[in-house]
mmCIF file of all heavy atoms in Angstrom:
data_model
loop_
_atom_site.group_PDB
_atom_site.id
_atom_site.type_symbol
_atom_site.label_atom_id
_atom_site.label_comp_id
_atom_site.label_asym_id
_atom_site.label_seq_id
_atom_site.Cartn_x
_atom_site.Cartn_y
_atom_site.Cartn_z
ATOM 1 N N GLY A 366 52.614 6.716 95.338
ATOM 2 C CA GLY A 366 51.915 6.697 94.034
ATOM 3 C C GLY A 366 52.708 5.964 92.985
ATOM 4 O O GLY A 366 52.168 5.156 92.219
ATOM 5 N N ALA A 487 62.313 -22.028 62.966
ATOM 6 C CA ALA A 487 61.955 -21.427 64.255
ATOM 7 C C ALA A 487 62.565 -20.042 64.345
ATOM 8 O O ALA A 487 63.543 -19.727 63.664
ATOM 9 C CB ALA A 487 62.444 -22.317 65.388
ATOM 10 N N ALA A 516 26.473 -19.236 50.961
ATOM 11 C CA ALA A 516 26.127 -17.932 50.377
ATOM 12 C C ALA A 516 25.375 -17.051 51.365
ATOM 13 O O ALA A 516 24.508 -17.513 52.106
ATOM 14 C CB ALA A 516 25.290 -18.142 49.119
ATOM 15 N N LEU A 557 8.141 -16.111 40.914
ATOM 16 C CA LEU A 557 7.495 -15.476 39.762
ATOM 17 C C LEU A 557 5.979 -15.587 39.892
ATOM 18 O O LEU A 557 5.464 -16.606 40.356
ATOM 19 C CB LEU A 557 7.938 -16.137 38.454
ATOM 20 C CG LEU A 557 9.430 -16.126 38.147
ATOM 21 C CD1 LEU A 557 9.664 -16.780 36.786
ATOM 22 C CD2 LEU A 557 9.985 -14.715 38.160
ATOM 23 N N ASP A 576 40.740 -6.005 40.131
ATOM 24 C CA ASP A 576 40.095 -6.345 38.860
ATOM 25 C C ASP A 576 39.109 -7.459 39.190
ATOM 26 O O ASP A 576 39.497 -8.601 39.410
ATOM 27 C CB ASP A 576 41.144 -6.816 37.849
ATOM 28 C CG ASP A 576 40.510 -7.266 36.542
ATOM 29 O OD1 ASP A 576 39.284 -7.095 36.379
ATOM 30 O OD2 ASP A 576 41.242 -7.800 35.691
ATOM 31 N N PRO A 657 13.162 -12.096 21.241
ATOM 32 C CA PRO A 657 12.318 -11.666 20.108
ATOM 33 C C PRO A 657 12.146 -10.150 20.094
ATOM 34 O O PRO A 657 12.083 -9.515 21.138
ATOM 35 C CB PRO A 657 10.988 -12.359 20.393
ATOM 36 C CG PRO A 657 10.957 -12.531 21.876
ATOM 37 C CD PRO A 657 12.378 -12.706 22.327
ATOM 38 N N GLY A 661 8.948 -4.455 16.231
ATOM 39 C CA GLY A 661 9.963 -3.739 15.459
ATOM 40 C C GLY A 661 10.852 -2.853 16.293
ATOM 41 O O GLY A 661 11.652 -2.090 15.742
ATOM 42 N N GLY A 685 9.711 -9.066 2.797
ATOM 43 C CA GLY A 685 9.855 -7.737 2.191
ATOM 44 C C GLY A 685 11.148 -7.089 2.640
ATOM 45 O O GLY A 685 11.977 -7.710 3.306
ATOM 46 N N LEU A 691 20.134 1.099 14.415
ATOM 47 C CA LEU A 691 20.648 0.811 15.750
ATOM 48 C C LEU A 691 21.169 2.121 16.312
ATOM 49 O O LEU A 691 22.188 2.643 15.863
ATOM 50 C CB LEU A 691 21.767 -0.235 15.657
ATOM 51 C CG LEU A 691 22.511 -0.573 16.943
ATOM 52 C CD1 LEU A 691 21.564 -1.147 17.988
ATOM 53 C CD2 LEU A 691 23.636 -1.565 16.666
ATOM 54 N N THR A 710 25.524 -15.094 7.349
ATOM 55 C CA THR A 710 25.646 -13.649 7.491
ATOM 56 C C THR A 710 25.113 -12.958 6.236
ATOM 57 O O THR A 710 25.542 -13.253 5.124
ATOM 58 C CB THR A 710 27.112 -13.260 7.719
ATOM 59 O OG1 THR A 710 27.552 -13.870 8.935
ATOM 60 C CG2 THR A 710 27.257 -11.749 7.847
ATOM 61 N N PRO A 719 31.374 6.664 18.069
ATOM 62 C CA PRO A 719 30.517 6.471 19.247
ATOM 63 C C PRO A 719 29.281 7.368 19.171
ATOM 64 O O PRO A 719 29.371 8.545 18.834
ATOM 65 C CB PRO A 719 31.433 6.881 20.407
ATOM 66 C CG PRO A 719 32.810 6.616 19.899
ATOM 67 C CD PRO A 719 32.772 6.918 18.428
ATOM 68 N N LEU A 763 12.523 -1.862 -5.816
ATOM 69 C CA LEU A 763 13.711 -2.172 -5.014
ATOM 70 C C LEU A 763 14.074 -3.639 -5.212
ATOM 71 O O LEU A 763 13.268 -4.529 -4.931
ATOM 72 C CB LEU A 763 13.422 -1.882 -3.538
ATOM 73 C CG LEU A 763 14.586 -1.954 -2.564
ATOM 74 C CD1 LEU A 763 15.679 -0.963 -2.945
ATOM 75 C CD2 LEU A 763 14.113 -1.672 -1.140
ATOM 76 N N ASN A 769 24.640 -9.287 -2.386
ATOM 77 C CA ASN A 769 24.854 -9.353 -3.832
ATOM 78 C C ASN A 769 26.167 -8.638 -4.156
ATOM 79 O O ASN A 769 26.233 -7.791 -5.029
ATOM 80 C CB ASN A 769 23.670 -8.743 -4.597
ATOM 81 C CG ASN A 769 23.429 -7.297 -4.207
ATOM 82 O OD1 ASN A 769 23.929 -6.823 -3.195
ATOM 83 N ND2 ASN A 769 22.673 -6.591 -5.013
ATOM 84 N N LYS A 837 27.162 11.726 -8.777
ATOM 85 C CA LYS A 837 27.354 12.399 -7.498
ATOM 86 C C LYS A 837 26.118 13.202 -7.157
ATOM 87 O O LYS A 837 25.497 13.801 -8.043
ATOM 88 C CB LYS A 837 28.526 13.380 -7.580
ATOM 89 C CG LYS A 837 29.890 12.775 -7.414
ATOM 90 C CD LYS A 837 30.928 13.901 -7.432
ATOM 91 C CE LYS A 837 32.336 13.317 -7.449
ATOM 92 N NZ LYS A 837 33.341 14.375 -7.550
ATOM 93 N N LYS A 874 17.372 -0.347 -26.992
ATOM 94 C CA LYS A 874 17.370 0.533 -28.173
ATOM 95 C C LYS A 874 17.393 -0.308 -29.452
ATOM 96 O O LYS A 874 17.814 -1.433 -29.447
ATOM 97 C CB LYS A 874 18.585 1.465 -28.142
ATOM 98 C CG LYS A 874 18.494 2.470 -26.994
ATOM 99 C CD LYS A 874 19.570 3.489 -27.071
ATOM 100 C CE LYS A 874 19.249 4.598 -28.042
ATOM 101 N NZ LYS A 874 20.291 5.615 -28.110
#
Side-chain angles (χ1 to χ4, degrees):
Chain A
L557 301 182
D576 176 7
L691 175 61
T710 298
L763 188 60
N769 58 344
K837 278 184 187 177
K874 293 188 81 179

